Amino acid sequence: MRLKGTLFRSLGQYDKAREYLEKALAIKKAVGDRDGEATIYGNLGTLFRSLGQYDKAREYLEKALAIKKAFGNRDGEAAIYGNLGTLVIALGQYDKAREYLEKALAIQKALGNRDGEATIYENLATLFRSLGQHDKVREYLEKALAIKKAVGNRDGEAAIYGKLRTLVIALGQYDKAREYLEKALAIQKALGNRDGEAAIYGNFGTLFIALGQFDKAREYLEKALAIQKALGNIDGEATTYAHLGTLFRSLGQYDKSREYLEKALAIRKAVGDRDGEANSYRNLGSLFIMFGQYDKAREYLEKALAIQKALGNIDGEVIIYASLGTLFQSLGQYDKSREYLEKALAIKKAVGDREGEATIYGNFGTLFIALGQYDKAREYLEKALAFKKAVGDKDGEGNCYGNLGTLFLSLGQYDKAREYLEKALAIKKAVGDRDGEAAIYENLGTLFQSVGQYEKAREYLEKALAIKKALGNRDEEASSYG
């Protein structure tokens, strides 16, 4: 029954998973199998974490821990500490997470459990990624990868390549991301792991969205979706629908985007995945901002915020505050926008998330540009830029240069604007971000138009248009013609 419970969890069939795990738990209690009882508590904890029910997850994990400690099951104790560590990361309790993970690591090392040690290194990498400490993330992932290779854990090796992909994308190293994904895909195919293969196709899809290669993104996402449907993996299916929603939003096909995001939402609600439901509401809220349907956007974002608060997911809460900041900026309600951004910033500072803090500084920068408070805008954008450079986040650095270029354009400081826009352009080209490259060409076109260099303006605007046509972004193509 435990096997069936974990199987249904993997397929996103959470009600079925809970049913089987609770049947197993009743039997384990009836026969007095305390160790087995603890294992089921641990699996229930994992299930409730997947559903975003963090208090329930913690309750079951602590029950499991108490039994494992009472029986002297050190390996099981370490596993539960690891699960508690990842749980409290989601809650933004980073010091507590580190405490649990270091306890787990000490036990795994003492037992000589190399595979378990590698798992804790992966969890520590997740912790430091939440804190924006990229060097530390890489250090722990490389430690984990070395062990997985040494013990011949091919599936684990593939999983770490996927995590390294997330790291290098954050740093704007897209070629490296593609390399890691190809390694992971080769392993999953060799193992015949169709579910893992689908997950990698999904990762390729999101990578190509980031690169503005939308046809390629669609190809990979449709491959992922076909496998997930064939396997009956409705959780994976919902994830892919959400990615397709993002893809069509990037293409300006808002009705199509809404269709896929609503499919994802329906599944998340049906399986009781509260965290996924909140993410779906947020994605739909962001889409409605683009539609100009601000009342609808606010409705969905407030639904998302209510869920994240109920779950105690402060990281998710911060994302919603930032989205609400964007919404109120679009409405010209700048005091309200600032209020939400300050809430987000306070949380990022409190938990020590330097990277998230830098992102919020960038949001403040665009807000102050809209307010015409250019000195304040420059201050915040330069704070964001300094951090992005310090952590080696090339893509983020490029975005900051682009925003500073826009700022100086607004101030009529055309030489300074050109300097920053050309820096941004160089980065966008280097990382292969075609969509971002087109945006910078447009801004340069506007710049040259402002200084009366009309031939130069035309050259850059035509470069932007050519990229948009090549990417199949019809909405942006139309705006270029306009």
Side-chain angles (χ1 to χ4, degrees):
M1 284 185 193
R2 179 171 63 85
L3 175 61
K4 286 186 178 178
T6 55
L7 170 63
F8 284 119
R9 189 188 72 225
S10 300
L11 293 171
Q13 297 180 30
Y14 297 119
D15 287 343
K16 206 75 178 165
R18 184 174 181 174
E19 177 192 333
Y20 277 98
L21 289 172
E22 287 178 345
K23 282 181 180 178
L25 181 63
I27 294 169
K28 294 295 183 183
K29 284 182 168 182
V31 300
D33 180 357
R34 295 285 284 158
D35 194 53
E37 183 183 340
T39 300
I40 304 301
Y41 281 136
N43 289 335
L44 282 163
T46 303
L47 170 65
F48 285 114
R49 189 182 69 205
S50 299
L51 289 169
Q53 297 183 31
Y54 299 120
D55 288 342
K56 203 78 177 165
R58 192 168 194 166
E59 176 193 334
Y60 280 107
L61 290 173
E62 287 177 347
K63 283 183 179 180
L65 180 62
I67 296 171
K68 295 292 185 185
K69 288 174 93 170
F71 276 82
N73 183 337
R74 297 286 282 160
D75 191 48
E77 183 184 342
I80 302 300
Y81 278 133
N83 288 337
L84 282 165
T86 57
L87 172 66
V88 296
I89 289 170
L91 295 171
Q93 299 175 21
Y94 299 126
D95 288 341
K96 197 73 181 169
R98 189 168 185 172
E99 177 193 330
Y100 281 125
L101 293 175
E102 287 179 347
K103 282 182 179 179
L105 183 62
I107 295 171
Q108 299 291 22
K109 283 184 168 181
L111 294 173
N113 182 346
R114 297 285 283 156
D115 203 47
E117 184 183 340
T119 299
I120 303 304
Y121 285 137
E122 286 184 79
N123 293 339
L124 283 162
T126 301
L127 168 64
F128 286 110
R129 186 174 68 236
S130 298
L131 291 168
Q133 297 182 29
H134 297 305
D135 288 343
K136 211 76 177 163
V137 174
R138 180 170 250 154
E139 175 193 334
Y140 281 109
L141 286 178
E142 287 178 348
K143 282 184 178 180
L145 181 62
I147 293 172
K148 295 292 185 184
K149 284 181 167 181
V151 301
N153 184 339
R154 296 284 283 159
D155 193 49
E157 184 185 341
I160 294 172
Y161 285 134
K163 291 179 180 179
L164 282 164
R165 177 263 328 178
T166 303
L167 170 65
V168 295
I169 285 177
L171 297 173
Q173 298 173 15
Y174 296 115
D175 287 342
K176 199 74 180 168
R178 188 168 183 170
E179 176 191 327
Y180 284 126
L181 286 177
E182 285 173 350
K183 284 183 178 179
L185 182 61
I187 292 171
Q188 298 293 16
K189 283 184 168 182
L191 294 173
N193 184 346
R194 295 286 284 159
D195 198 45
E197 185 182 340
I200 302 300
Y201 285 137
N203 291 338
F204 266 115
T206 58
L207 172 63
F208 286 120
I209 290 171
L211 290 169
Q213 298 180 29
F214 300 122
D215 287 343
K216 206 79 176 160
R218 186 171 183 172
E219 175 193 335
Y220 278 99
L221 291 174
E222 287 178 348
K223 282 183 180 180
L225 186 61
I227 295 171
Q228 285 155 347
K229 283 184 169 182
L231 295 174
N233 182 347
I234 60 170
D235 192 51
E237 194 179 326
T239 299
T240 302
Y241 283 138
H243 292 327
L244 283 163
T246 302
L247 168 65
F248 285 112
R249 188 181 66 206
S250 300
L251 287 167
Q253 297 181 31
Y254 299 127
D255 288 340
K256 202 79 177 163
S257 176
R258 183 175 181 173
E259 176 193 333
Y260 281 107
L261 292 176
E262 287 179 344
K263 282 183 178 181
L265 176 62
I267 292 172
R268 297 300 188 195
K269 289 172 90 170
V271 302
D273 179 357
R274 295 287 282 160
D275 191 49
E277 184 183 344
N279 289 332
S280 293
Y281 282 133
R282 176 176 60 82
N283 289 335
L284 282 161
S286 298
L287 178 65
F288 285 120
I289 291 173
M290 291 183 164
F291 270 144
Q293 296 183 20
Y294 299 121
D295 288 344
K296 202 77 177 165
R298 185 172 183 173
E299 176 194 336
Y300 278 86
L301 291 174
E302 288 179 345
K303 282 182 179 179
L305 183 61
I307 293 171
Q308 298 293 19
K309 282 184 168 181
L311 296 175
N313 184 347
I314 63 167
D315 198 45
E317 194 179 326
V318 168
I319 294 169
I320 306 301
Y321 284 139
S323 296
L324 283 164
T326 302
L327 167 65
F328 286 111
Q329 186 176 329
S330 300
L331 286 167
Q333 297 182 30
Y334 299 120
D335 287 344
K336 203 78 178 165
S337 176
R338 186 170 184 172
E339 176 193 330
Y340 280 108
L341 290 177
E342 285 176 347
K343 284 183 179 180
L345 184 61
I347 293 171
K348 290 297 184 184
K349 284 183 169 180
V351 300
D353 179 358
R354 295 281 289 150
E355 186 174 31
E357 189 181 333
T359 299
I360 303 300
Y361 284 138
N363 291 343
F364 268 113
T366 57
L367 171 63
F368 286 120
I369 290 173
L371 285 168
Q373 298 182 26
Y374 298 120
D375 288 343
K376 205 77 178 164
R378 184 173 181 175
E379 176 193 336
Y380 279 98
L381 290 173
E382 286 179 345
K383 280 183 180 180
L385 177 62
F387 182 80
K388 296 296 184 183
K389 289 174 86 171
V391 300
D393 179 354
K394 293 301 283 179
D395 196 47
E397 184 183 341
N399 291 336
C400 289
Y401 283 134
N403 289 335
L404 282 162
T406 303
L407 167 65
F408 288 116
L409 190 56
S410 300
L411 290 169
Q413 298 182 28
Y414 299 120
D415 288 342
K416 202 76 178 166
R418 184 174 180 176
E419 176 193 336
Y420 280 106
L421 290 173
E422 287 179 345
K423 284 182 178 180
L425 181 62
I427 291 172
K428 294 297 180 184
K429 284 182 166 181
V431 302
D433 179 358
R434 296 284 284 157
D435 201 42
E437 186 184 340
I440 302 300
Y441 279 135
E442 275 198 308
N443 289 338
L444 283 164
T446 302
L447 166 66
F448 287 116
Q449 192 173 342
S450 299
V451 297
Q453 296 184 32
Y454 299 116
E455 287 302 321
K456 200 79 175 165
R458 183 175 179 174
E459 176 193 336
Y460 280 104
L461 292 173
E462 286 179 347
K463 283 183 178 180
L465 178 60
I467 292 171
K468 288 172 181 178
K469 288 173 85 171
L471 295 176
N473 190 334
R474 300 287 288 165
D475 190 59
E476 287 293 316
E477 184 184 338
S479 70
S480 294
Y481 286 128

